[in-house]
Amino acid sequence: MRVCLVYDCLFPYTVGGAERWYRNLGERLAREGHEVTYLTLRQWDRGVVPDAGPGVRVQVAGPRMALYHEGRRRILPPVAFGVGVFWHLLRRGQRYDVVHTASFPYFSLLAAGAVRPLRRFRLVVDWHEVWSASYWRDYLGPRGGAIGALIQRVCARIPQHAFCFSRLHAERLRGEGLRGEVTILRGQFVGGQGAEAPRPDDGEVLFAGRLIPEKRAPAVVGAVLAAARHLPGLRGVIFGDGPEREEVAREIARLHAAGRVRAPGFVGTEELQEALARALCLLLPSAREGYGLIVVEAAANGVPSVLVAGEDNAATEFIAEGVNGFIAASAGAEDLAAAILQIHAAGPALREQTLGWFRDHADELSLERSLSTVLARYEASARA
């Protein structure tokens, strides 16, 4: 089967959950003997041969451009990428059996939807998130938000087979008027049945993620200090990089927390996993999560999580309250600290329960399960 994967980012040149998903998907398809093209923006220096995995051919559909400004997506790169995708598929779309694209940032999906009737490929779309009207307003303002919400609704009504990664966004997508099937993929974890046993915690609260406003990483500082009033030895670490890194540093300085909270920036996978396995808990105060792989990775180590309730936070679907973590009512320091203290009070028993929860759900949470579902969908559409 000839498959074209479409996303404007490519791991490891940019790092995120969607990039890892398409990297893993491309490698798996190529291993199965399929012909795979990865259509993306250029994010590497000229002269560099891009690497999308063994057997995956990279095709550039637009020039190198900064994707973000002050933590938010710029409009020009998605538009340029959409034009590039349209032109590529118009010329070569008949060579593909399946075009599998991310919904966001939308212009590439609009391009694929426009060309599909002419080139007759099957269109598969990953909806990592479906934004609410209120979030669109917060993100782009009243006028820009209304336009963004309209474009999202138009994209949802393009004939397609849709994949979502949470129940929250699957329900929203159906509400947007999806014309076609939607399949929920719950698995993106690589690593089998998890740890043999939870490791004793070392009294450190851990955050890991891209430092953008939606992640609310600065809230970790106040939460650790508030909890430390009752747990004098408590510490915190904030792993990650992004436009909010300076804000994190300012918050540490403002609260005089340098001796208790560290922010080393982006670190390698091995260092992150080592720290995660020892952590008292994962603290992820995000307002918005489309999936939340780090929560699953924490549970695989027997490490409970603290998340925050919110209409755009799909990661809370991974929390069984009191079994593998807690959901705080807000990102306020006292609410987060209360959940941290509950985890500390529960002790090793909660770590055992957390690992047990992961093992009970390991199959559905595995990347292999999701990749198998995607391949089965391709094959079913080929027979239709």
Side-chain angles (χ1 to χ4, degrees):
M1 192 173 296
R2 300 164 300 173
V3 180
C4 181
L5 303 178
V6 181
Y7 190 49
D8 63 349
C9 296
L10 173 62
F11 182 88
Y13 307 99
T14 63
V15 178
E19 290 94 318
R20 293 179 187 275
W21 165 248
Y22 290 115
R23 172 91 182 202
N24 289 324
L25 178 58
E27 289 181 351
R28 170 62 186 273
L29 289 168
R31 275 201 314 272
E32 295 280 329
H34 301 289
E35 182 181 312
V36 185
T37 299
Y38 195 118
L39 190 60
T40 189
L41 286 177
R42 185 174 67 85
Q43 292 140 17
W44 48 88
D45 295 333
R46 292 191 181 278
V48 172
V49 178
D51 172 26
V56 179
R57 183 172 68 94
V58 177
Q59 181 73 43
V60 174
R64 188 175 190 177
M65 291 181 281
L67 299 179
Y68 289 89
H69 176 68
E70 296 182 349
R72 300 195 185 278
R73 279 276 198 155
R74 297 174 60 226
I75 187 65
L76 181 57
V79 172
F81 185 55
V83 172
V85 170
F86 179 85
W87 181 239
H88 176 85
L89 293 179
L90 190 63
R91 289 182 300 147
R92 303 182 183 179
Q94 72 277 6
R95 301 180 183 179
Y96 302 124
D97 301 303
V98 175
V99 172
H100 188 155
T101 181
S103 60
F104 190 84
Y106 301 120
F107 293 101
S108 51
L109 172 52
L110 290 171
V115 177
R116 186 193 62 81
L118 302 174
R119 296 297 178 255
R120 306 188 67 81
F121 49 75
R122 294 180 292 281
L123 183 60
V124 175
V125 183
D126 292 325
W127 289 84
H128 298 275
E129 296 181 70
V130 180
W131 288 2
S132 64
S134 61
Y135 190 84
W136 275 113
R137 286 193 299 272
D138 291 343
Y139 195 81
L140 293 177
R143 182 174 299 177
I147 294 171
L150 176 61
I151 293 172
Q152 177 179 268
R153 192 172 306 115
V154 170
C155 286
R157 299 182 182 192
I158 293 171
Q160 64 191 265
H161 182 92
F163 289 115
C164 288
F165 298 84
S166 67
R167 293 186 297 274
L168 168 67
H169 294 298
E171 291 168 4
R172 284 184 177 178
L173 184 57
R174 293 185 183 103
E176 291 284 80
L178 174 73
R179 297 176 180 175
E181 299 179 60
V182 57
T183 301
I184 299 176
L185 301 174
R186 295 285 289 165
Q188 292 192 32
F189 178 76
V190 179
Q193 294 295 311
E196 292 184 5
R199 293 172 59 176
D201 77 81
D202 66 355
E204 189 167 64
V205 173
L206 182 146
F207 168 95
R210 180 168 168 78
L211 302 185
I212 55 177
E214 294 87 343
K215 299 285 188 181
R216 299 193 290 210
V220 174
V221 183
V224 170
L225 292 180
R229 294 199 298 265
H230 306 276
L231 301 173
L234 189 71
R235 305 181 314 283
V237 59
I238 299 172
F239 288 120
D241 206 349
E244 286 253 297
R245 187 170 183 182
E246 289 186 6
E247 182 62 31
V248 169
R250 283 193 291 268
E251 188 70 355
I252 291 173
R254 185 182 73 84
L255 296 177
H256 307 288
R260 192 174 292 277
V261 180
R262 58 192 179 99
F266 180 82
V267 298
T269 301
E270 186 174 338
E271 182 177 348
L272 173 60
Q273 291 302 318
E274 179 68 19
L276 182 60
R278 297 193 314 266
L280 168 67
C281 67
L282 172 73
L283 174 55
L284 193 66
S286 302
R288 190 190 106 225
E289 289 286 343
Y291 183 75
L293 177 59
I294 190 67
V295 179
V296 178
E297 292 175 335
N301 284 286
V303 176
S305 295
V306 175
L307 275 64
V308 177
E311 66 171 359
D312 296 306
N313 190 359
T316 57
E317 294 179 14
F318 291 130
I319 298 298
E321 191 86 5
V323 175
N324 66 334
F326 295 93
I327 301 173
S330 78
E334 297 301 326
D335 283 342
L336 295 176
I340 293 169
L341 293 174
Q342 283 182 289
I343 287 174
H344 180 267
L350 182 59
R351 296 175 81 82
E352 291 285 353
Q353 287 178 195
T354 299
L355 184 56
W357 175 90
F358 173 79
R359 287 173 176 165
D360 288 344
H361 298 84
D363 180 60
E364 67 174 296
L365 296 174
S366 71
L367 176 67
E368 182 59 33
R369 174 76 171 269
S370 290
L371 295 179
S372 296
T373 300
V374 171
L375 288 172
R377 179 66 254 170
Y378 288 175
E379 292 166 1
S381 65
R383 294 192 298 267

